[in-house]
Amino acid sequence: MRVYHLCGTQFAVSNIALRRLKISRFMDMNDPFEMWVNTKNANRRQAFLRSKAVMNEKKGCLCFSKSWRDPVYWAHYAEKHFGMALGFDIADEWLTDISYVDEPPDGDKEPDINLMRQWLLSKFTGWQYEEEVRAMVDLDPSVRQGGLYFLEFSDKLVFREIILGVRCQLPLNEVSQLASTYGHPISVIKARLAHDSYSIVEDDQDKASPA
């Protein structure tokens, strides 16, 4: 599946040059309702929070979108359209769709596999525009760098595409030159505002030479 990771220009260039992505931690995500449950029972709620803390130390995830065309996604994750979208080919079996729901999972039920899956992969419907998919990653403390974890590009995380944001100020050919250091073609394009919809599209008038 082709999926996209949006980020600011500095991080995008670093990701391309160092050939890796930062692994997200559950406690650091921008949604405080990440891994939340619906319960009035304080003991159960505290038990879930303790489980979340344990999970935060053992696992992280790579977060992607199925599309790069939503302008809100660019505004939130790519420095108000000054950043980039990086496209990757990832095996479908490594990716899991987020379920967008109106209510958190029922934390008063006896925990089972289905509840735990809902707990990990449920988000409020207001986030639905992201079309998010995730790849879960085991954390290895021996390779932590400055408190952060990274996953290198590989045959499971194949780098394929760069889309420069509408306001991105880096020259297209310079980004294409950076992408040319890879052993396979990387598509490099510039984005623009659609003329007939609230959408981000490719700027056909601004193309780089194939990387």
Side-chain angles (χ1 to χ4, degrees), residues 5 23 25 31 36 45 47 67 74 92 113 116 137 142 146 151 154 185 190 205:
H5 179 80
I23 299 172
R25 308 289 298 281
D31 181 9
W36 196 251
R45 186 162 52 250
S67 172
W74 283 90
D92 291 356
I113 292 177
M116 299 307 290
V137 181
S142 68
L151 189 69
S154 66
K190 175 73 173 179
Q205 303 302 313

Side-chain angles (χ1 to χ4, degrees), residues 83-99:
M84 303 183 200
L86 308 181
F88 297 87
D89 284 342
I90 302 178
D92 291 356
E93 58 267 23
W94 198 34
L95 295 171
T96 306
D97 287 311
I98 290 295
S99 296

Side-chain angles (χ1 to χ4, degrees), residues 9-51:
T9 297
Q10 179 180 351
F11 293 113
V13 171
S14 175
N15 289 334
I16 297 168
L18 298 177
R19 306 186 180 208
R20 67 186 189 183
L21 287 181
K22 183 172 75 72
I23 299 172
S24 297
R25 308 289 298 281
F26 295 107
M27 293 294 197
D28 298 332
M29 291 185 178
N30 56 0
D31 181 9
F33 282 105
E34 194 76 44
M35 297 174 66
W36 196 251
V37 292
N38 178 12
T39 178
K40 295 180 180 179
N41 186 306
N43 290 332
R44 282 186 178 271
R45 186 162 52 250
Q46 290 303 314
F48 273 100
L49 289 174
R50 287 193 294 271
S51 296

